[in-house]
């Protein structure tokens, strides 16, 4: 079993701080309101995990609508974590005490299916004197076998991939205007107000 747990944050802005006589860029993120909704068990679901609900959404209780969340994530847990954190426990800035390094997980922006020119940043061919190779990617294989060879640039789905950034250092934490903020060293990917997942061990 994994002993890692997740915390969903929102990217706010970048700034700079003096650290050991040097100007170091930092990224400010806000810890979103989240709690453990329920646990998945081996007997019922086939594996053990904690389901986290992020940003509770208001629903019409007169129409018997169930509790909804803007985002739900889950991570593997062991029996010790499930015993220490009951369903309904809130994950906030206080749970980050003593944490200095985290892993950042995010999904890159999807660009659907793209031609190799954009996907691999290839150069354009000649555009004058009757050239027919403006956006051609060049040789794709031999005459035999009659198929394109592997490891050549081809058109395919671009980005929309899950990527993990390891050993991200936390500089400081603070509370401001009902927000729980974390200062992380260097830059983090994603747009402003984009959601990132911190993996804490």
């Amino acid at each position: 079993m994994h002993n890692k747990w997740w915390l969903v944050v929102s990217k706010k802005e970048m700034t700079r701080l003096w650290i050991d006589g040097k100007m170091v860029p930092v990224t400010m993120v806000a810890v979103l309101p989240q709690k453990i909704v329920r646990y998945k068990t081996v007997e019922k679901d086939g594996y053990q995990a904690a389901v986290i609900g992020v940003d509770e959404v208001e629903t019409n209780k007169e129409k018997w609508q169930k509790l909804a969340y803007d985002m739900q994530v889950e991570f593997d847990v062991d029996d010790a974590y499930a015993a220490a954190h009951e369903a309904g426990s809130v994950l906030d800035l206080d749970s980050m005490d003593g944490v200095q390094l985290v892993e950042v997980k995010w999904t890159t922006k999807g660009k659907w299916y793209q031609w190799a020119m954009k996907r691999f940043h290839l150069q354009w061919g000649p555009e004058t004197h009757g050239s027919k190779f403006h956006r051609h990617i060049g040789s794709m294989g031999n005459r035999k076998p009659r198929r394109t060879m592997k490891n050549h640039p081809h058109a395919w789905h671009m980005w929309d991939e899950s990527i993990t950034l390891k050993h991200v250092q936390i500089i400081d934490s603070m509370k401001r205007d009902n927000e729980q903020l974390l200062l992380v060293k260097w830059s983090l990917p994603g747009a402003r107000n984009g959601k990132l997942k911190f993996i804490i061990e």
Side-chain angles (χ1 to χ4, degrees):
M1 275 293 181
H2 298 279
N3 293 323
K4 297 181 180 180
W5 56 280
W6 290 16
L7 191 69
V8 182
V9 300
S10 175
K11 182 179 178 180
K12 289 300 180 182
E13 60 186 19
M14 288 196 64
T15 182
R16 294 176 294 177
L17 292 177
W18 278 103
I19 301 177
D20 297 332
K22 295 181 180 180
M23 188 71 76
V24 178
V26 296
T27 304
M28 181 182 297
V29 298
V31 179
L32 298 175
Q34 55 199 289
K35 64 180 180 180
I36 301 176
V37 178
R38 64 185 179 92
Y39 283 99
K40 291 189 175 182
T41 59
V42 178
E43 295 79 10
K44 184 177 180 180
D45 304 289
Y47 62 98
Q48 189 173 9
V51 181
I52 307 300
V54 183
D55 279 341
E56 184 176 330
V57 180
E58 294 184 1
T59 56
N60 192 345
K61 296 183 179 179
E62 296 180 356
K63 295 184 179 180
W64 298 92
Q65 292 180 353
K66 296 183 179 180
L67 191 63
Y69 297 93
D70 182 57
M71 178 182 181
Q72 283 193 5
V73 297
E74 63 178 55
F75 54 87
D76 297 337
V77 295
D78 53 8
D79 295 333
Y81 185 90
H85 303 81
E86 298 180 353
S89 301
V90 177
L91 301 178
D92 53 10
L93 195 61
D94 296 334
S95 58
M96 294 287 294
D97 291 340
V99 178
Q100 297 180 350
L101 295 176
V102 296
E103 297 179 6
V104 181
K105 192 179 187 67
W106 79 99
T107 302
T108 58
K109 182 179 180 180
K111 297 183 179 180
W112 297 90
Y113 286 84
Q114 297 295 335
W115 176 238
M117 294 290 294
K118 181 176 182 179
R119 187 183 174 204
F120 296 99
H121 306 286
L122 302 180
Q123 294 183 351
W124 283 64
E127 299 189 42
T128 57
H129 302 289
S131 174
K132 299 180 181 179
F133 298 96
H134 308 308
R135 291 172 55 84
H136 200 278
I137 58 177
S139 176
M140 299 182 66
N142 304 322
R143 179 174 295 180
K144 292 288 182 72
R146 297 190 178 280
R147 56 179 171 80
T148 57
M149 306 300 292
K150 293 183 178 180
N151 301 325
H152 281 254
H154 295 89
W156 195 246
H157 196 276
M158 186 175 179
W159 301 122
D160 194 18
E161 299 174 348
S162 180
I163 299 179
T164 302
L165 186 64
K166 296 185 177 182
H167 307 298
V168 179
Q169 183 178 355
I170 296 179
I171 302 298
D172 197 4
S173 62
M174 65 182 71
K175 295 182 180 180
R176 184 188 68 181
D177 298 335
N178 298 326
E179 282 188 330
Q180 301 180 358
L181 302 176
L182 286 171
L183 294 178
V184 180
K185 191 175 182 181
W186 305 116
S187 62
L188 292 181
R192 185 186 294 267
N193 297 325
K195 291 183 177 63
L196 304 171
K197 301 169 187 175
F198 278 12
I199 304 176
I200 302 103
E201 187 170 1

